Amino acid sequence: MTNSDFFAWLRDQQDNKRLTQSMVDGANELLAYIEPKELQQSIAKINNWQVNREGMQLSKKGSDFIKSYERFMSNPYRDAVGVWTIGFGNTYYEDRRKVSGSDKPISEVRASELKQNIINMDFAPAVNLLFADEIARGQINQNQFDALLSLAYNIGTRGLAGSSVYKNIKRGNYEAAADSFLAWNKGRVNGKLQAINGLTRRRKEERELFLS
């Protein structure tokens, strides 16, 4: 278990799914001396909380895959559609505060933590919800889950929910679902929608990951 995994679990135990700064600071002080798994078990025992999180989670392989396509930026910048972004493609922080142009730079370590926390907070639960029946039946393996999460992180969970990828999985046609990844390779360049080389490569690799 990593520190990010621990904080994701700790956040899940809160009624509002949020951590105060004092909670984060206190946990970080303990994590300087105690392994995340050991601290998790101690806190769970004291509070009678569950240790195992429900649903599938992004694997390290999947996390590394997303990072390979989301360029690290320490300073806030406007993305292709003008939204303030930081780190590995994040537009907001764990407390739901949106990134702004006046935010301080972050390190690559912090960017990795932010990415993972946001995925654990929003994207992994959403993909688990969208494909709850298939996951329950064992019809979504880890590589497929990672590919779907990568796509959702890039196009949004609403985009995934309305996509042919989603519809074909629901029909049980996984080959067609894999091919449907390839349609999401376009972006606006000078106001015109066209295929982007980087997105084309990403969709092809996501398709291969989904089929493996």
Side-chain angles (χ1 to χ4, degrees):
M1 168 178 266
T2 66
N3 285 7
S4 294
D5 293 334
F6 168 79
F7 279 111
W9 168 81
L10 185 61
R11 189 178 298 103
D12 276 353
Q13 310 312 310
Q14 313 307 312
D15 291 337
N16 61 359
K17 303 301 180 183
R18 297 181 180 180
L19 300 177
T20 65
Q21 190 59 51
S22 61
M23 294 170 69
V24 173
D25 292 342
N28 276 324
E29 289 182 10
L30 292 171
L31 288 169
Y33 303 97
I34 304 174
E35 290 296 317
K37 188 68 176 179
E38 183 180 351
L39 180 59
Q40 179 198 45
Q41 292 173 343
S42 298
I43 293 176
K45 185 176 181 180
I46 292 171
N47 294 281
N48 195 29
W49 288 343
Q50 292 184 355
V51 171
N52 296 320
R53 304 176 68 209
E54 296 181 357
M56 298 183 71
Q57 300 298 318
L58 182 69
S59 71
K60 184 180 184 304
K61 176 182 177 181
S63 179
D64 290 343
F65 178 90
I66 292 175
K67 285 173 67 176
S68 72
Y69 276 101
E70 298 286 348
R71 182 178 53 156
F72 166 65
M73 297 291 286
S74 61
N75 292 294
Y77 66 97
R78 289 190 184 274
D79 67 8
V81 294
V83 178
W84 283 108
T85 308
I86 201 168
F88 289 103
N90 287 109
T91 58
Y92 59 96
Y93 300 99
E94 292 93 339
D95 61 0
R96 305 292 179 185
R97 180 173 60 86
K98 293 182 179 180
V99 175
S100 72
S102 60
D103 291 350
K104 295 180 180 179
I106 62 175
S107 67
E108 188 167 354
V109 171
R110 169 59 181 141
S112 295
E113 180 181 66
L114 174 61
K115 174 190 67 66
Q116 192 64 47
N117 288 343
I118 295 299
I119 285 174
N120 290 341
M121 280 172 53
D122 295 333
F123 290 92
V127 175
N128 273 288
L129 182 61
L130 286 172
F131 302 104
D133 293 339
E134 290 76 17
I135 290 172
R137 294 193 293 262
Q139 295 173 335
I140 298 288
N141 65 33
Q142 186 64 57
N143 285 342
Q144 290 170 328
F145 186 83
D146 288 348
L148 290 167
L149 235 174
S150 175
L151 181 64
Y153 191 76
N154 188 223
I155 70 172
T157 54
R158 287 185 180 181
L160 176 60
S163 71
S164 294
V165 175
Y166 172 81
K167 294 172 184 176
N168 281 313
I169 289 175
K170 289 299 177 181
R171 294 178 186 129
N173 193 337
Y174 286 73
E175 290 284 343
D179 291 339
S180 296
F181 275 80
L182 303 178
W184 292 89
N185 70 332
K186 298 176 179 63
R188 292 198 176 276
V189 178
N190 297 324
K192 295 181 179 180
L193 194 65
Q194 62 184 59
I196 305 295
N197 289 337
L199 289 178
T200 298
R201 289 195 302 273
R202 180 170 181 167
R203 298 291 93 91
K204 286 181 178 179
E205 291 197 23
E206 285 169 348
R207 177 184 179 278
E208 291 174 4
L209 180 62
F210 184 84
L211 289 173
S212 62

